[in-house]
Amino acid sequence: MDRALSLLAAFDAGHRSLTLGELSRRSGIPPSSALRLANRLTAWGALERGDDGRFSVGLRLWEVASLAPRGQGLRQVAMPFMGDLAEVTRQHVLLAVREGDEAVLVERLSSHHAMPVLYRVGGRLPLHSTGVGLVLLAFADPAFQDEVLARPLVHEPEKVPVAPDALRRTLAEVRRQGMATVRRASPAPLVTVAAPIFGAEHRVVAALSVVVPRGGAEPRQLGPAVRTAARSISRMLGAH
Amino acid sequence: MDRALSLLAAFDAGHRSLTLGELSRRSGIPPSSALRLANRLTAWGALERGDDGRFSVGLRLWEVASLAPRGQGLRQVAMPFMGDLAEVTRQHVLLAVREGDEAVLVERLSSHHAMPVLYRVGGRLPLHSTGVGLVLLAFADPAFQDEVLARPLVHEPEKVPVAPDALRRTLAEVRRQGMATVRRASPAPLVTVAAPIFGAEHRVVAALSVVVPRGGAEPRQLGPAVRTAARSISRMLGAH
DNA sequence: AGGGGCCTGCCATTGAACGGCACGCGGTCT
DNA sequence: AGACCGCGTGCCGTTCAATGGCAGGCCCCT
């Protein structure tokens, strides 16, 4: 059964459809077994098979996955507020949660004429070099923070090493301000403002951010807007 | 392994988190086996377990499901155009695909101050009494249409029987016009305009619609707007 | 105190998953 | 033309991991 899961894990952003052979090789399962498993997954709807014989992830799986509280569930309550932010900023609005030592992008609203796109919905972001990541890290369990800080880290697109002390100060600052502000030059000069979203028991369950081009209109107003939206979402989630 | 899938199938919109006992009963799997399977699914990330011991669908599963071409894949290319429509209409914009004899709602953009909500993203809609459903049915394989028409059908919220002949004429009209217009009084007086989205090989792969309150602003302009957006999306999908 | 769910770990049995193998097919290189 | 390679598929005897009954522990309600 783990083998069935490893078949699913064989798919990634760059490989959304696979032949049986690829499926077999990428999952490390002999072709005959891979076929048997894939057929059963297809019968259930977890996989689909195109006219060309290629396998891809099935809609049925997408349906049950849409019941994930931290995925669609979170998105559902956040969406209207994200929509408001998107309409005002006309750039990118991001919603992410922490999964292990990375952030997973749960939703991204991007205007038609927004900056070049950085991350994909359903994809992962580094915790230490993105706005939402810094927020999630800053408000995470201290033990987990130490664990991350102990690792060698590099800023993501540029591959510049991260100084642990500097990161630690950044995290403290994020906690103090209740938001993170990040300026980068990665694809284009941009500034990100991110704020935490609280669930029950005052735990941070997600992070919300806007990404706008540097030099764009409002530098200072962004903070309050994002924090307000984040608080509204928190309230909907039952934060005390 | 089918048993693992039936565990996943135990979740639905009304049961997004389940105790082990519920999981066991709803899937028909003895508790001890259900626990073992659920634990392995949890280890992989297909399920998550809250502090209260309840199981829910995991983010990891949501991640791989986001690779589904007919789910997130479709949504990804459609989103910007749906956003434009939403900004103009300020009501609901729906994107759905056909799965078996129902439609699955892949995305819904709803303004903050829109009408009461009808369907949930990830949920299912009847083919014969919704705008997107009629479009998907009208452009489906004729054999499949006959099969649906042979069944006893009722309009959905009202439980009024559907006359097969009338439906057949409606479908012909939808094909002729290249769009469906539906007026209903279900939750509130509303009008839906839906148009087909084509993929490669000129096959209809999805349907796009807007739902606005009856008596609202533009009755006639809606058609061209929806059809234009649908064509734009079709082009992005590689429709010849 | 008693009773009933609920969750969990153990363990001997058995039935289903496993993967090597061979076949048929289509495309490419020699 | 021929040979070859990769791919997808079905078969089948072996085996090992999944199975579920059982009992124990916990908590809540009566």
Side-chain angles (χ1 to χ4, degrees):
Chain A
M1 183 206 84
D2 304 299
R3 347 199 64 226
L5 294 174
S6 64
L7 278 187
L8 292 180
F11 294 89
D12 63 33
H15 302 84
R16 292 174 188 242
S17 80
L18 299 171
T19 67
L20 178 61
E22 290 167 336
L23 210 45
S24 161
R25 261 169 281 125
R26 289 175 63 89
S27 63
I29 298 176
S32 53
S33 295
L35 175 63
R36 190 164 14 88
L37 289 171
N39 276 340
R40 290 170 64 183
L41 288 172
T42 304
W44 189 82
L47 295 181
E48 290 177 6
R49 193 156 202 189
D51 303 326
D52 52 359
R54 299 179 72 87
F55 290 95
S56 58
V57 178
L59 191 66
R60 186 72 215 291
L61 190 69
W62 184 87
E63 279 186 71
V64 312
S66 77
L67 297 169
R70 296 205 297 153
Q72 194 67 39
L74 174 63
R75 184 195 110 96
Q76 193 172 328
V77 329
M79 264 300 265
F81 302 100
M82 294 180 69
D84 294 345
L85 275 180
E87 211 172 313
V88 171
T89 62
R90 301 205 154 271
Q91 285 288 333
H92 299 287
V93 181
L94 270 51
L95 176 69
V97 301
R98 184 166 75 83
E99 172 80 353
D101 52 5
E102 288 171 302
V104 172
L105 188 57
V106 171
E107 180 58 296
R108 188 197 70 210
L109 293 185
S110 302
S111 166
H112 230 359
H113 25 58
M115 310 172 52
V117 168
L118 320 101
Y119 298 107
R120 173 186 72 81
V121 171
R124 293 178 168 233
L125 300 72
L127 288 182
H128 58 276
S129 47
T130 59
V132 285
L134 285 175
V135 167
L136 291 172
L137 185 55
F139 289 92
D141 177 25
F144 172 74
Q145 292 184 35
D146 291 340
E147 191 185 313
V148 170
L149 281 157
R151 274 197 282 265
L153 299 172
V154 292
H155 278 303
E156 246 335 297
E158 309 93 340
K159 306 287 178 200
V160 178
V162 179
D165 288 355
L167 179 53
R168 202 177 283 277
R169 279 193 298 274
T170 303
L171 294 180
E173 183 67 10
V174 170
R175 275 190 296 273
R176 202 182 62 76
Q177 295 200 353
M179 58 182 273
T181 307
V182 179
R183 283 162 220 281
R184 339 208 66 222
S186 35
L190 58 84
V191 50
T192 305
V193 178
I197 292 174
F198 297 87
E201 306 165 33
H202 203 68
R203 274 218 296 251
V204 170
V205 296
L208 180 71
S209 82
V210 296
V211 182
V212 301
R214 190 107 54 95
E218 345 81 307
R220 302 272 169 187
Q221 289 103 310
L222 241 41
V226 176
R227 292 187 59 188
T228 304
R231 292 194 66 126
S232 303
I233 298 170
S234 301
R235 192 164 301 113
M236 299 288 282
L237 291 176
H240 75 289
Chain B
M1 183 207 85
D2 305 299
R3 343 199 69 229
L5 294 174
S6 62
L7 278 187
L8 292 180
F11 294 88
D12 63 33
H15 302 84
R16 292 175 187 240
S17 81
L18 299 170
T19 67
L20 178 60
E22 291 167 335
L23 210 46
S24 161
R25 262 169 279 126
R26 289 174 63 89
S27 63
I29 297 175
S32 53
S33 295
L35 175 64
R36 189 162 16 86
L37 289 171
N39 276 339
R40 291 171 64 183
L41 287 173
T42 303
W44 190 82
L47 295 181
E48 289 177 6
R49 192 156 201 187
D51 304 325
D52 53 359
R54 300 179 69 89
F55 290 95
S56 57
V57 178
L59 192 65
R60 187 73 216 289
L61 189 68
W62 184 86
E63 279 185 71
V64 312
S66 77
L67 298 169
R70 296 204 298 153
Q72 195 67 37
L74 175 62
R75 184 196 111 96
Q76 193 172 328
V77 329
M79 264 300 267
F81 302 99
M82 293 180 68
D84 294 344
L85 275 181
E87 211 172 313
V88 171
T89 63
R90 301 205 155 269
Q91 285 288 332
H92 299 287
V93 181
L94 270 51
L95 176 68
V97 301
R98 184 166 75 82
E99 172 79 354
D101 51 6
E102 288 171 300
V104 172
L105 188 57
V106 171
E107 180 58 296
R108 186 197 71 209
L109 292 185
S110 303
S111 166
H112 230 359
H113 24 59
M115 310 173 52
V117 168
L118 319 100
Y119 298 107
R120 174 186 72 81
V121 171
R124 293 179 168 233
L125 299 73
L127 288 182
H128 57 277
S129 46
T130 59
V132 284
L134 285 175
V135 166
L136 291 172
L137 185 53
F139 289 91
D141 177 24
F144 172 74
Q145 292 186 34
D146 292 339
E147 190 186 325
V148 170
L149 282 158
R151 274 196 284 265
L153 299 172
V154 290
H155 279 303
E156 245 336 295
E158 309 93 340
K159 305 290 178 196
V160 178
V162 179
D165 288 356
L167 179 53
R168 201 177 284 276
R169 279 193 299 274
T170 303
L171 294 179
E173 183 66 10
V174 170
R175 275 188 298 272
R176 203 182 61 76
Q177 295 199 353
M179 58 182 272
T181 307
V182 178
R183 283 164 221 282
R184 338 208 64 224
S186 38
L190 59 82
V191 49
T192 304
V193 178
I197 293 174
F198 297 87
E201 305 165 33
H202 202 68
R203 275 218 296 251
V204 170
V205 296
L208 179 72
S209 82
V210 297
V211 182
V212 301
R214 191 106 55 95
E218 345 80 308
R220 301 273 167 188
Q221 290 102 310
L222 242 41
V226 177
R227 292 188 60 186
T228 304
R231 293 194 66 125
S232 303
I233 299 171
S234 301
R235 191 163 302 112
M236 298 289 282
L237 292 176
H240 75 287

